[in-house]
């Protein structure tokens, strides 16, 4: 069913997101989940901008400056993808 697809897709996106954060920071992360806060992962404002740009490019989406400023957690970022 569609629900199973969403769960699988969410897990894939979470893995991709973790990879993006690691690329912008140049550092490996431990376990992250949708409630993980970006600032707790060491994201500074420049890295957050780079992360939004990666998301826009990878998922062919557009995130306004106001929306980008509202992204505080991994879950916030993933919601823009869906």
């Amino acid at each position: 069913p569609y629900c199973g697809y969403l769960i699988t897709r969410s897990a894939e996106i979470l893995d991709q997101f973790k990879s993006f954060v690691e690329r912008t920071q140049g550092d490996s992360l431990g376990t992250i989940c949708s409630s993980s806060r970006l600032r707790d992962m060491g994201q500074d404002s420049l890295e957050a901008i780079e992360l939004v740009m990666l998301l826009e490019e990878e998922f062919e989406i557009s995130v306004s400056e106001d929306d980008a400023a509202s992204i505080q957690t991994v879950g916030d970022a993933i919601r823009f993808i869906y």
Side-chain angles (χ1 to χ4, degrees), residues 4-24:
Y5 168 79
L6 286 178
I7 291 169
T8 301
R9 187 69 178 133
S10 292
E12 292 170 358
I13 291 171
L14 189 61
D15 286 342
Q16 284 180 297
F17 189 86
K18 180 179 176 184
S19 174
F20 293 158
V21 172
E22 290 173 340
R23 282 183 10 203
T24 60

Side-chain angles (χ1 to χ4, degrees), residues 25-58:
Q25 289 185 191
D27 196 9
S28 181
L29 294 175
T31 302
I32 64 170
C33 63
S34 63
S35 62
S36 297
R37 297 186 67 76
L38 297 180
R39 71 169 179 233
D40 294 340
M41 291 186 286
Q43 287 281 293
D44 63 25
S45 58
L46 179 58
E47 290 166 336
I49 292 168
E50 290 176 31
L51 184 61
V52 168
M53 291 171 61
L54 279 170
L55 292 172
E56 288 179 323
E57 182 178 319
E58 180 68 24

